[in-house]
Amino acid sequence: MNTKNKKIIALGLSTILLTTGLTLFSVTYLNNEISYVDEDNSPSKSNPDIASDKFDNSFHDKVYYVHRNDNRTILSQQERVEGYECLGIYSSKSSAEVICYVVENDNDTISYRTVSYDDLEGKIDEYDNIYVIDEKSPSSLDAFVPDCSINMQGYSKTLK
C-alpha cells in the first residue's frame, strides 16, 4: 500500500470518528437540555408547560363533555374533539371518578399521577397543581367516568 492510499484511508477513518463523536455529543446534549413530555409518559428533565385546564374552584362553573375513543376517556370544554366520541355532559355522581392528574417533581424528573375525588378529599391543599384530564393532557393519562356521571340527554351512545 502506498502513502497516498494510507492518507486517504486515514482521512476517511478520522472523518467517520469525528462525525460519530459529534453525533453522540449532540444527542446526549439535546436529551439533557430539551424539556418535553414523551407520548409514553416517560419523565422529562424539567417542568413541561402544562396546557391542560387547571382543576380549581371554577371547575364546577364550566361545562365539560365526556369523550371516549378506543384508547382513553377525557373531559373537554369542547363538544367535539377529533378522534373521540362525545358521550354526554359530565355531571359528577361518584367520588371514585378519576378526572384529574397531578404533576410530581422528584429528583429533577417529572411524573404524572391520576387522582380521584377520593384521593383529593381533605388533601387538595397538599397539591400545588391539579389538572383536568383533557385533550391537551399527556396521551397516557386516562380518565375514569362511570356512566352514572354522564348526562346523556341529547346524546345517543353508539355500539362499537
Side-chain angles (χ1 to χ4, degrees):
M1 201 184 280
N2 64 23
T3 311
K4 185 177 179 181
N5 287 344
K6 288 180 182 177
K7 286 182 181 178
I8 291 173
I9 291 171
L11 181 62
L13 287 174
S14 63
T15 303
I16 291 170
L17 288 172
L18 181 63
T19 304
T20 303
L22 287 173
T23 302
L24 289 173
F25 172 77
S26 63
V27 167
T28 302
Y29 177 77
L30 290 175
N31 282 343
N32 287 331
E33 293 299 316
I34 293 177
S35 172
Y36 63 93
V37 177
D38 286 341
E39 289 301 309
D40 64 354
N41 199 28
S42 61
S44 64
K45 290 287 182 185
S46 60
N47 198 357
D49 293 328
I50 303 293
S52 299
D53 291 333
K54 202 163 187 165
F55 181 82
D56 55 21
N57 291 335
S58 67
F59 174 81
H60 296 291
D61 297 333
K62 301 173 186 173
V63 174
Y64 282 91
Y65 298 90
V66 180
H67 296 274
R68 186 173 292 149
N69 66 15
D70 292 337
N71 301 318
R72 67 192 283 221
T73 301
I74 61 170
L75 298 183
S76 177
Q77 291 185 41
Q78 307 299 319
E79 188 172 355
R80 289 184 174 81
V81 176
E82 187 175 333
Y84 290 85
E85 175 187 6
C86 183
L87 301 179
I89 297 172
Y90 174 71
S91 177
S92 181
K93 303 280 189 241
S94 170
S95 65
E97 295 167 1
V98 177
I99 60 162
C100 301
Y101 68 99
V102 294
V103 179
E104 297 177 328
N105 287 322
D106 186 34
N107 297 329
D108 295 330
T109 59
I110 304 294
S111 60
Y112 306 98
R113 183 169 57 92
T114 56
V115 292
S116 67
Y117 280 123
D118 287 338
D119 296 330
L120 294 174
E121 189 174 0
K123 301 176 193 171
I124 199 161
D125 295 332
E126 293 178 19
Y127 301 107
D128 292 333
N129 295 308
I130 305 170
Y131 299 95
V132 177
I133 299 173
D134 60 12
E135 68 273 19
K136 297 168 275 184
S137 63
S139 63
S140 59
L141 298 176
D142 186 22
F144 169 70
V145 182
D147 287 343
C148 65
S149 296
I150 302 171
N151 182 350
M152 292 181 260
Q153 186 175 13
Y155 291 90
S156 61
K157 294 181 82 172
T158 59
L159 297 174
K160 293 183 181 183

